[in-house]
Amino acid sequence: MFSPFRRKPVTAMTTGLLLVLALLSATGPFATDLYLPSFPAMTDELEASATAVQLTLTAFLLGMGAGQLVFGPLSDRYGRFRPLFLGSGGFVVASAVCALAPNLGVLVAGRLLQGLCASAGVVIARAMVADLTTGATSARTFSLLMTIGGVAPVVAPTVGGVLAEHLGWRGVLWVLAGLALVMFVCVAGVLAESQPLHHRSSGPLLAGLSGVVANRKFLGYAVLFASTFGVLMAYISASPFVYQNLMGLTASAYGLAFGVNAMGLVGAGFVSARLARRIPPRKTVTAAVSVLLTMSVAVLVLSVSAAPPLLLAVPIFFAATSVGFIMGNTTSLALAEVGLAAGSGSAVLGGGQFFAGALVSPLTGLAGEESAVPLAVIMTLSALVAVAALIATRTRSASGR
């Protein structure tokens, strides 16, 4: 009888494996971005405020953050495949619960469970890359992983905008449930174990987490990773209202505009992957963080001035693009500091990433649906934290990068 648990372990990164891992990494963007164009319609149908509807996004991000802190250490102890199989199956069930939710409360709870289960794919995909690659190859692979996975935010809002107009927001959530099923089938049919038995931890389950957090340089990179994601999530959560209500775009036009920004991020990831063998990842990150801060400040200046709202699209595009140069390289730099505890290290990276996203997402709607000022303030503050974290990691790393 066929059993995915008996499949021969994988020992090298292949193109097929990278594509499946990228699909798993795309879980988060798909689950957030596909239904973003539906926010205004959900606000009307559920008779809720913009901030209340954004709680569905916050709940998912909280689940993603907490789940990674569970699945990461589990994968260090029991191997990568079994926790991944369990989480992917749960993601399918939780997605169906969301699509069937009778009210906002059940939908928020379903999104929390959805995030908990979906986190397995995100955190374990990073750990598997760390198992199979090192050095410049690791930086290049992480950039490619996040770039291929970054196709999700290019496709999801555009498709989500069309689906929202024809199927409604529940139809969009059913499409997401179908995508979750595809991901589960890929896990069951393609992936195999990547962590040898002699590399697995044998101490207390949370010992790996405490060990990586005690590493000052790793922690600095983790804060840099999380704060950069905070900038991105501030933009993502506010974008339906900024682009549709403030700029006056339709749901479909918003999806296209969102896709253009995502293509900038994806393109940056491809360029970053090509640069990894010639330019140290830290130099690339340093330049990109400078751009991120400059563009965030530009958004702030435009949002408090009398400038036409459409001008905000320019610095937002370049801010999103700079993220493509930061995330993959920072992941490589961080996990190089923790060695065999890649699952726990990936958990801290991902947990901080999504907790930061959950923190900033509801704050962007504090001034209502007609103001970009909260978005601009949060982007600028998050970028400043990223700069401070980068400075804190200035001493030479264990990997020499």
Side-chain angles (χ1 to χ4, degrees), residues 37-123:
S38 301
F39 270 20
M42 292 171 68
T43 300
D44 294 336
E45 185 174 331
L46 296 173
E47 298 181 349
S49 66
T51 299
V53 170
Q54 284 174 326
L55 284 177
T56 63
L57 178 58
T58 300
F60 179 82
L61 295 174
L62 285 173
M64 286 286 285
Q68 290 185 70
L69 296 177
V70 174
F71 281 107
L74 282 175
S75 73
D76 282 341
R77 169 71 72 84
Y78 300 108
R80 312 301 186 200
F81 185 77
R82 290 179 185 273
L84 179 57
F85 186 85
L86 176 64
S88 298
F91 181 46
V92 177
V93 175
S95 297
V97 169
C98 291
L100 293 169
N103 54 54
L104 184 61
V106 174
L107 180 58
V108 170
R111 289 285 288 173
L112 178 64
L113 179 62
Q114 194 180 40
L116 285 168
C117 296
S119 68
V122 176
V123 68

Side-chain angles (χ1 to χ4, degrees), residues 283-297:
K283 288 186 177 180
T284 300
V285 170
T286 300
V289 168
S290 299
V291 173
L292 182 67
L293 177 60
T294 301
M295 293 300 105
S296 296
V297 172

Side-chain angles (χ1 to χ4, degrees), residues 369-384:
E369 303 176 13
E370 305 292 339
S371 174
V373 173
L375 165 65
V377 170
I378 293 168
M379 287 180 64
T380 301
L381 290 177
S382 297
L384 285 170

